[in-house]
Amino acid sequence: MIYNSVADICVANDDVRRRIVEQVESLNEAQQIFRPTEGAWSAAEIVEHLAIIEGNMVRLVSKLLGKVESEADAPGTEPRSMPPFSLDDYEAQVRDQKLVAPEPIQPRGASLNESLARLNETRAALNALRPRIELADGTRATYPHPFFGPLNLYQWLAFIGMHEARHLGQIEGLVKMMNAE
């Protein structure tokens, strides 16, 4: 997917989020904690991980935005154009890899409802930053991703959706397994 604007990123991120919520909102308690194998995450654990990640992303995007704003000559009043970009190459690098989340971003046992509530809070926080993001030059601030290297503000924002899409596939797989039983 090619992103041409902050709006494109937000629409894509919101679409993936909607699909995740649709997949998990009707799961009963046993389905929420179902693990297909020892060590695999349940749907509830995946959603908790996503809530942890998005909380971290709110802090990171705020930090990068603050850096860009402090370096700007004068704050803009019109949305800035964003150079088009894609994360398809990054997604392809990890598509078939089993990645292990570092301990700080692993689930800790929150309920699915708690994690969904936290996701609503973190998405609201990101949405509150959007007007500032649209006025900033997000290419001017980067932070290294542990696997992909330096990503700029726009790429980090789009990474949220890419990351959630990867986990949406896992949740869909869990639901299929449960429905086959």
Side-chain angles (χ1 to χ4, degrees):
M1 169 177 211
I2 296 176
Y3 301 101
N4 292 297
S5 66
V6 172
D8 285 352
I9 298 169
C10 292
V11 166
N13 287 357
D14 287 346
D15 181 59
V16 173
R17 175 63 58 79
R18 177 190 53 75
R19 291 168 49 209
I20 288 169
V21 171
E22 286 174 359
Q23 284 291 314
V24 302
E25 67 186 352
S26 63
L27 298 177
N28 64 40
E29 192 170 328
Q31 292 170 321
Q32 292 173 21
I33 61 172
F34 168 78
R35 290 182 180 185
T37 61
E38 183 66 33
W41 287 353
S42 67
E45 290 169 320
I46 292 169
V47 174
E48 181 182 3
H49 165 74
L50 295 176
I52 294 167
I53 290 293
E54 191 166 75
N56 291 348
M57 291 298 97
V58 169
R59 288 186 291 281
L60 177 60
V61 167
S62 295
K63 178 181 173 182
L64 293 175
L65 187 55
K67 181 177 190 247
V68 169
E69 289 171 339
S70 71
E71 293 173 355
D73 295 332
T77 57
E78 294 294 320
R80 227 177 233 280
S81 64
M82 179 187 88
F85 72 94
S86 171
L87 295 181
D88 292 349
D89 289 343
Y90 295 121
E91 192 275 330
Q93 289 176 35
V94 296
R95 182 178 299 132
D96 299 321
Q97 290 188 33
K98 168 115 172 86
L99 301 176
V100 178
E103 190 280 324
I105 58 173
Q106 290 185 13
R108 294 170 178 79
S111 73
L112 179 61
N113 287 337
E114 290 168 333
S115 297
L116 288 171
R118 186 163 176 211
L119 280 175
N120 284 334
E121 292 168 9
T122 56
R123 186 54 53 94
L126 274 177
N127 287 339
L129 293 173
R130 182 175 169 181
R132 291 174 53 207
I133 295 168
E134 289 177 332
L135 297 176
D137 180 355
T139 63
R140 294 182 53 188
T142 62
Y143 188 82
H145 183 278
F147 192 83
F148 302 123
L151 300 179
N152 68 38
L153 173 63
Y154 302 129
Q155 292 169 318
W156 274 110
L157 195 60
F159 171 79
I160 295 167
M162 183 186 97
H163 178 252
E164 288 191 2
R166 177 180 174 94
H167 286 294
L168 171 61
Q170 294 169 342
I171 292 169
E172 290 169 339
L174 286 171
V175 170
K176 281 182 185 175
M177 280 185 228
M178 290 182 284
N179 289 338
E181 289 184 351

